[in-house]
Amino acid sequence: MSTVNHQVRLAARPSGLPRATDWSLTTEGVPDPAEGQFVVAVSHVSIDPAMRGWMNAVRSYVPPVEIGAVMRAGAVGRVAASAHPGFAVGDAVYGVFGVQEYALSDGRGVITIDTSLAAPSTYLGALGTTGLTAYFGLLDTGKLQEGDTVVVSGAAGAVGSVAGQIAKVKGARVIGIAGGPEKCRVLTEEFGFDAAIDYRAGNVRAALREHAPRGVDVFFDNVGGEILDDVLTRLARGARVVICGAISQYNETQARGPANYQMLIVARASMTGMLVFDYQDQYPQAMAELAGWLRDGKIVSREHVVHGSVADFPETLLMLFDGVNTGKLVLALDGS
Ligand SMILES: NC(=O)c1ccc[n+]([C@@H]2O[C@H](COP(=O)([O-])OP(=O)(O)OC[C@H]3O[C@@H](n4cnc5c(N)ncnc54)[C@H](OP(=O)(O)O)[C@@H]3O)[C@@H](O)[C@H]2O)c1
C-alpha cells in the first residue's frame, strides 16, 4: 500500500462546462483506520453526468460538494486496512469513495461485491447504480407493459443502454436516440434495439413518425431539451414520460424547459421525475434480477474504461458532455 493519497478537490464552481481551474489536485498521507473504520484502495471511479450538478450550490437531492472538498464519486476498490468487524483486508467493495486513491470509511453505504462474478467496472455499470436506475425508472416510474413502444434518449450511454435492453427483455418495441451512426449501429447490433435514431442527423420527429407510427407509450429521457420536446409530440394515449436526466441542460446557464408539455393533455400522459436512491430497500432484488439477465446473456453491460490516474478525472468527466463514451464511463486508477 502506498503512503500517499492523491485526490481531486473542487476548487471553484463552474459556469458552463467545468474547466481545469475548477479542480485542484492534492496529496495527503493515507489515513489510518480508527476502531470501526477501514481504508479502501480505489481502483475504479464512476464518471457520472450528475457530478456536474453536484458542483452547483443549488437545492438538490444531495448537498453540493463544498469548495475544497474531495469530489464526490461512486467507486469500487479493495479494503487495504481494516479495524471494522464487517470488512476484511482484500474485500472488494462499492461505495461513495470520492475521486481519490484511498478512502476512509465507516461502512455506511458500502456494499461488498463479488469480482469473480463480474468485472469491477460492471458494478458501476449494469450491476450498479446505472443498471438500477434503468430498472426502476423503466419498470416502476415508466410502468412498462409488454408490447409497449419505448423510446430511450441517451440510448448508447450507461443508463440508456441498459434501459433499452430491459425493455426488450420485457417484450417492448424499443427505439433508441443517440448521437452518430456508430452509436446507432451499436444500439441495434449489440444492444438489440429495434430501431435507432441519430439525433445529430436532424429531424428526430420524422424518424419517430416512421419508427413509432402508433405513438410512444414510455419515453425514458436522459437528455431533456429539444429531444424531449420532439418526443412529447409523438406520445400515445396514456404515455409515461420518465425524467431520469437532462444532460443537454447540465452546462446551460439558462436551462430550458419543455415547450411542448401541453401534449401531456392531448395524450392524457404523465411526466415523472425519478431518483434511483429512493429504491435502496429494493436494490438486492433488482441486482439479483440484473445479474441473472447478464449471466443468461439477455443483457450486456458495456463499459468505456479510461485507464489513468485521478489527475485524468477532469478530462474524463468532459467526455460525457462530448458524447465520447458508449456504455458506462469509468476511470480505472492503474496509471498512478
Ligand atoms: N435519476 C437518477 O436517479 C439518475 C441516476 C443515474 C443517472 N441519471 C441520469 O441519466 C442520464 C444518463 O446518465 P449516464 O450515466 O448513463 O451517462 P451516459 O448516457 O453514459 O453519458 C452521457 C451521454 O449523454 C449524451 N449527451 C451529452 N450531451 C448531450 C446533449 N447536449 N444532447 C444529447 N445527448 C447528449 C452523450 O451521448 P450522445 O453521443 O448520444 O450524445 C453522452 O455519451 C444523465 O442525465 C444522468 O444525470 C439519473
Side-chain angles (χ1 to χ4, degrees):
M1 183 165 112
S2 165
T3 54
V4 290
N5 182 20
H6 295 109
Q7 307 161 311
V8 173
R9 291 175 185 269
L10 185 64
R13 301 210 181 276
S15 171
L17 273 178
R19 294 173 302 169
T21 48
D22 297 327
W23 306 105
S24 63
L25 197 60
T26 55
T27 305
E28 283 186 351
V30 176
D32 267 333
E35 203 50 43
Q37 294 182 328
F38 57 97
V39 171
V40 177
V42 172
S43 62
H44 296 79
V45 179
S46 179
I47 309 294
D48 290 285
M51 288 171 152
R52 179 62 190 85
W54 301 338
M55 297 168 79
N56 295 336
V58 294
R59 177 174 167 254
S60 186
Y61 55 93
V62 285
V65 175
E66 294 299 334
I67 300 289
V70 172
M71 182 58 193
R72 181 185 294 137
V76 161
R78 275 193 192 275
V79 176
S82 181
H84 189 297
F87 294 90
V89 170
D91 282 356
V93 286
Y94 165 84
V96 182
F97 298 133
V99 186
Q100 56 183 342
E101 292 167 346
Y102 293 93
L104 190 64
S105 173
D106 61 7
R108 265 181 295 179
V110 176
I111 57 167
T112 306
I113 59 174
D114 185 348
T115 51
S116 71
L117 291 180
S121 55
T122 305
Y123 287 94
L124 301 175
L127 288 183
T129 308
T130 295
L132 293 165
T133 303
Y135 183 97
F136 293 112
L138 198 61
L139 302 183
D140 186 54
T141 315
K143 297 184 175 52
L144 181 79
Q145 303 290 317
E146 191 179 343
D148 276 350
T149 295
V150 175
V151 171
V152 181
S153 64
V159 174
S161 61
V162 181
Q165 292 182 83
I166 295 174
K168 285 304 297 176
V169 170
K170 296 288 182 183
R173 174 176 161 72
V174 185
I175 301 153
I177 305 177
E182 173 56 17
K183 287 194 180 187
C184 287
R185 184 196 68 74
V186 171
L187 287 182
T188 53
E189 292 181 14
E190 292 183 29
F191 296 136
F193 285 51
D194 297 288
I197 297 172
D198 176 3
Y199 73 88
R200 293 205 181 129
N203 218 341
V204 170
R205 283 190 206 190
L208 284 169
R209 264 197 301 279
E210 179 193 338
H211 294 300
R214 290 196 304 277
V216 176
D217 299 299
V218 178
F219 177 38
F220 191 106
D221 189 21
N222 291 309
V223 165
E226 210 175 317
I227 289 176
L228 172 57
D229 264 331
D230 286 340
V231 182
L232 284 175
T233 66
R234 296 297 309 158
L235 296 182
R237 187 163 174 164
R240 286 82 67 202
V241 177
V242 181
I243 303 296
C244 174
I247 192 169
S248 72
Q249 304 302 303
Y250 292 172
N251 292 297
E252 296 298 326
T253 44
Q254 293 278 310
R256 63 172 267 191
N260 293 335
Y261 77 96
Q262 292 182 51
M263 297 309 288
L264 297 172
I265 305 169
V266 177
R268 290 73 148 177
S270 67
M271 182 154 82
T272 310
M274 68 81 58
L275 195 62
V276 65
F277 307 123
D278 292 343
Y279 295 92
Q280 276 178 27
D281 56 337
Q282 298 174 58
Y283 281 2
Q285 160 263 322
M287 279 177 80
E289 195 161 17
L290 286 160
W293 290 334
L294 262 181
R295 186 195 55 228
D296 298 343
K298 290 185 173 160
I299 64 170
V300 293
S301 180
R302 181 157 161 173
E303 295 112 38
H304 184 133
V305 181
V306 174
H307 295 271
S309 66
V310 291
D312 297 305
F313 167 75
E315 283 296 318
T316 311
L317 179 63
L318 295 180
M319 290 169 69
L320 290 173
F321 304 111
D322 290 339
V324 178
N325 65 303
T326 299
K328 173 67 199 165
L329 186 59
V330 172
L331 176 60
L333 301 185
D334 47 16
S336 321

Short mmCIF file of all heavy atoms in Angstrom, two decimals, residues 302-329:
data_model
loop_
_atom_site.label_atom_id
_atom_site.label_comp_id
_atom_site.label_asym_id
_atom_site.label_seq_id
_atom_site.Cartn_x
_atom_site.Cartn_y
_atom_site.Cartn_z
N ARG A 302 -21.88 -2.79 -21.18
CA ARG A 302 -20.71 -2.29 -21.88
C ARG A 302 -20.13 -1.15 -21.05
O ARG A 302 -20.86 -0.25 -20.63
CB ARG A 302 -21.10 -1.82 -23.27
CG ARG A 302 -19.91 -1.32 -24.04
CD ARG A 302 -20.16 -1.38 -25.53
NE ARG A 302 -19.24 -0.50 -26.21
CZ ARG A 302 -19.11 -0.42 -27.52
NH1 ARG A 302 -19.85 -1.17 -28.31
NH2 ARG A 302 -18.26 0.42 -28.05
N GLU A 303 -18.83 -1.21 -20.82
CA GLU A 303 -18.18 -0.15 -20.06
C GLU A 303 -17.07 0.47 -20.90
O GLU A 303 -16.35 -0.23 -21.60
CB GLU A 303 -17.59 -0.70 -18.75
CG GLU A 303 -18.65 -1.21 -17.79
CD GLU A 303 -18.62 -2.71 -17.61
OE1 GLU A 303 -17.52 -3.27 -17.57
OE2 GLU A 303 -19.71 -3.34 -17.54
N HIS A 304 -17.01 1.78 -20.85
CA HIS A 304 -15.96 2.53 -21.55
C HIS A 304 -14.94 2.90 -20.47
O HIS A 304 -15.15 3.82 -19.69
CB HIS A 304 -16.58 3.76 -22.19
CG HIS A 304 -15.63 4.55 -23.02
ND1 HIS A 304 -15.94 5.01 -24.27
CD2 HIS A 304 -14.36 4.97 -22.78
CE1 HIS A 304 -14.91 5.66 -24.77
NE2 HIS A 304 -13.94 5.67 -23.87
N VAL A 305 -13.86 2.11 -20.38
CA VAL A 305 -12.91 2.27 -19.28
C VAL A 305 -11.71 3.09 -19.76
O VAL A 305 -11.02 2.71 -20.70
CB VAL A 305 -12.45 0.90 -18.75
CG1 VAL A 305 -11.46 1.09 -17.58
CG2 VAL A 305 -13.65 0.07 -18.29
N VAL A 306 -11.51 4.22 -19.09
CA VAL A 306 -10.34 5.07 -19.35
C VAL A 306 -9.30 4.71 -18.30
O VAL A 306 -9.59 4.72 -17.10
CB VAL A 306 -10.71 6.56 -19.23
CG1 VAL A 306 -9.48 7.45 -19.36
CG2 VAL A 306 -11.75 6.92 -20.28
N HIS A 307 -8.10 4.36 -18.74
CA HIS A 307 -7.04 3.99 -17.79
C HIS A 307 -6.20 5.21 -17.50
O HIS A 307 -5.75 5.89 -18.43
CB HIS A 307 -6.20 2.85 -18.37
CG HIS A 307 -6.99 1.59 -18.54
ND1 HIS A 307 -7.11 0.64 -17.55
CD2 HIS A 307 -7.76 1.15 -19.57
CE1 HIS A 307 -7.89 -0.34 -17.97
NE2 HIS A 307 -8.30 -0.05 -19.19
N GLY A 308 -5.99 5.50 -16.24
CA GLY A 308 -5.20 6.69 -15.91
C GLY A 308 -5.05 6.84 -14.41
O GLY A 308 -5.04 5.86 -13.67
N SER A 309 -4.95 8.10 -13.98
CA SER A 309 -4.81 8.40 -12.56
C SER A 309 -5.88 9.43 -12.19
O SER A 309 -6.61 9.92 -13.08
CB SER A 309 -3.41 8.99 -12.30
OG SER A 309 -3.32 10.24 -12.94
N VAL A 310 -5.98 9.77 -10.93
CA VAL A 310 -7.01 10.74 -10.54
C VAL A 310 -6.82 12.07 -11.28
O VAL A 310 -7.80 12.79 -11.52
CB VAL A 310 -7.07 10.98 -9.00
CG1 VAL A 310 -7.59 9.75 -8.27
CG2 VAL A 310 -5.75 11.44 -8.44
N ALA A 311 -5.59 12.37 -11.68
CA ALA A 311 -5.33 13.63 -12.40
C ALA A 311 -6.06 13.66 -13.74
O ALA A 311 -6.26 14.74 -14.32
CB ALA A 311 -3.83 13.79 -12.62
N ASP A 312 -6.46 12.49 -14.24
CA ASP A 312 -7.19 12.43 -15.52
C ASP A 312 -8.69 12.65 -15.34
O ASP A 312 -9.44 12.66 -16.33
CB ASP A 312 -6.95 11.07 -16.19
CG ASP A 312 -5.49 10.89 -16.54
OD1 ASP A 312 -4.95 11.76 -17.25
OD2 ASP A 312 -4.88 9.89 -16.10
N PHE A 313 -9.14 12.79 -14.09
CA PHE A 313 -10.58 12.93 -13.86
C PHE A 313 -11.21 14.12 -14.60
O PHE A 313 -12.24 13.96 -15.26
CB PHE A 313 -10.88 13.00 -12.35
CG PHE A 313 -12.27 13.45 -12.06
CD1 PHE A 313 -13.35 12.57 -12.24
CD2 PHE A 313 -12.54 14.75 -11.66
CE1 PHE A 313 -14.65 12.99 -12.01
CE2 PHE A 313 -13.84 15.18 -11.43
CZ PHE A 313 -14.89 14.30 -11.60
N PRO A 314 -10.64 15.33 -14.50
CA PRO A 314 -11.32 16.47 -15.14
C PRO A 314 -11.58 16.27 -16.63
O PRO A 314 -12.68 16.55 -17.12
CB PRO A 314 -10.35 17.64 -14.89
CG PRO A 314 -9.61 17.26 -13.64
CD PRO A 314 -9.45 15.78 -13.74
N GLU A 315 -10.59 15.74 -17.34
CA GLU A 315 -10.75 15.50 -18.78
C GLU A 315 -11.75 14.37 -19.03
O GLU A 315 -12.52 14.41 -20.00
CB GLU A 315 -9.40 15.12 -19.40
CG GLU A 315 -8.46 16.30 -19.62
CD GLU A 315 -9.04 17.29 -20.62
OE1 GLU A 315 -9.58 16.84 -21.64
OE2 GLU A 315 -8.96 18.51 -20.36
N THR A 316 -11.71 13.36 -18.19
CA THR A 316 -12.60 12.20 -18.38
C THR A 316 -14.06 12.63 -18.19
O THR A 316 -14.94 12.20 -18.94
CB THR A 316 -12.23 11.07 -17.40
OG1 THR A 316 -10.81 10.86 -17.47
CG2 THR A 316 -12.92 9.77 -17.76
N LEU A 317 -14.31 13.50 -17.22
CA LEU A 317 -15.68 13.98 -16.99
C LEU A 317 -16.23 14.65 -18.25
O LEU A 317 -17.40 14.46 -18.63
CB LEU A 317 -15.71 14.95 -15.80
CG LEU A 317 -17.06 15.57 -15.46
CD1 LEU A 317 -18.08 14.50 -15.03
CD2 LEU A 317 -16.92 16.61 -14.36
N LEU A 318 -15.38 15.41 -18.92
CA LEU A 318 -15.84 16.15 -20.12
C LEU A 318 -16.25 15.20 -21.24
O LEU A 318 -17.05 15.57 -22.12
CB LEU A 318 -14.75 17.11 -20.60
CG LEU A 318 -14.42 18.25 -19.63
CD1 LEU A 318 -13.33 19.14 -20.21
CD2 LEU A 318 -15.67 19.08 -19.31
N MET A 319 -15.72 13.98 -21.24
CA MET A 319 -16.08 13.02 -22.29
C MET A 319 -17.58 12.76 -22.33
O MET A 319 -18.16 12.51 -23.39
CB MET A 319 -15.33 11.69 -22.07
CG MET A 319 -13.83 11.79 -22.32
SD MET A 319 -12.92 10.32 -21.76
CE MET A 319 -13.50 9.10 -22.92
N LEU A 320 -18.22 12.84 -21.16
CA LEU A 320 -19.68 12.62 -21.12
C LEU A 320 -20.42 13.67 -21.94
O LEU A 320 -21.41 13.37 -22.61
CB LEU A 320 -20.19 12.70 -19.67
CG LEU A 320 -19.82 11.60 -18.70
CD1 LEU A 320 -20.30 11.98 -17.30
CD2 LEU A 320 -20.44 10.28 -19.12
N PHE A 321 -19.95 14.90 -21.84
CA PHE A 321 -20.66 16.00 -22.48
C PHE A 321 -20.29 16.11 -23.97
O PHE A 321 -21.01 16.75 -24.74
CB PHE A 321 -20.40 17.31 -21.72
CG PHE A 321 -20.78 17.19 -20.26
CD1 PHE A 321 -19.81 17.19 -19.27
CD2 PHE A 321 -22.11 17.02 -19.90
CE1 PHE A 321 -20.17 17.04 -17.93
CE2 PHE A 321 -22.48 16.86 -18.56
CZ PHE A 321 -21.49 16.88 -17.58
N ASP A 322 -19.18 15.46 -24.33
CA ASP A 322 -18.81 15.39 -25.76
C ASP A 322 -19.37 14.12 -26.41
O ASP A 322 -19.16 13.91 -27.60
CB ASP A 322 -17.28 15.37 -25.90
CG ASP A 322 -16.66 16.71 -25.55
OD1 ASP A 322 -17.40 17.72 -25.60
OD2 ASP A 322 -15.46 16.76 -25.21
N GLY A 323 -20.00 13.27 -25.62
CA GLY A 323 -20.56 12.04 -26.17
C GLY A 323 -19.50 11.05 -26.63
O GLY A 323 -19.74 10.24 -27.52
N VAL A 324 -18.34 11.06 -25.98
CA VAL A 324 -17.26 10.14 -26.39
C VAL A 324 -17.59 8.71 -25.99
O VAL A 324 -17.24 7.76 -26.67
CB VAL A 324 -15.92 10.59 -25.76
CG1 VAL A 324 -14.80 9.61 -26.13
CG2 VAL A 324 -15.56 12.00 -26.19
N ASN A 325 -18.28 8.56 -24.86
CA ASN A 325 -18.49 7.20 -24.31
C ASN A 325 -19.66 6.47 -24.96
O ASN A 325 -20.67 7.05 -25.33
CB ASN A 325 -18.75 7.29 -22.80
CG ASN A 325 -20.04 8.01 -22.47
OD1 ASN A 325 -20.25 9.16 -22.86
ND2 ASN A 325 -20.94 7.34 -21.79
N THR A 326 -19.47 5.15 -25.07
CA THR A 326 -20.57 4.23 -25.34
C THR A 326 -20.62 3.30 -24.13
O THR A 326 -19.60 2.70 -23.78
CB THR A 326 -20.31 3.42 -26.62
OG1 THR A 326 -20.22 4.35 -27.71
CG2 THR A 326 -21.44 2.44 -26.91
N GLY A 327 -21.76 3.21 -23.47
CA GLY A 327 -21.84 2.45 -22.23
C GLY A 327 -21.30 3.27 -21.07
O GLY A 327 -21.08 4.48 -21.17
N LYS A 328 -21.06 2.59 -19.97
CA LYS A 328 -20.71 3.25 -18.69
C LYS A 328 -19.28 3.79 -18.70
O LYS A 328 -18.34 3.02 -18.89
CB LYS A 328 -20.89 2.25 -17.55
CG LYS A 328 -20.43 2.73 -16.20
CD LYS A 328 -21.29 3.86 -15.71
CE LYS A 328 -20.59 4.64 -14.61
NZ LYS A 328 -21.23 5.94 -14.38
N LEU A 329 -19.12 5.08 -18.46
CA LEU A 329 -17.79 5.68 -18.42
C LEU A 329 -17.17 5.49 -17.04
O LEU A 329 -17.76 5.85 -16.02
CB LEU A 329 -17.88 7.17 -18.77
CG LEU A 329 -16.55 7.91 -18.92
CD1 LEU A 329 -15.67 7.29 -20.01
CD2 LEU A 329 -16.78 9.39 -19.20
#
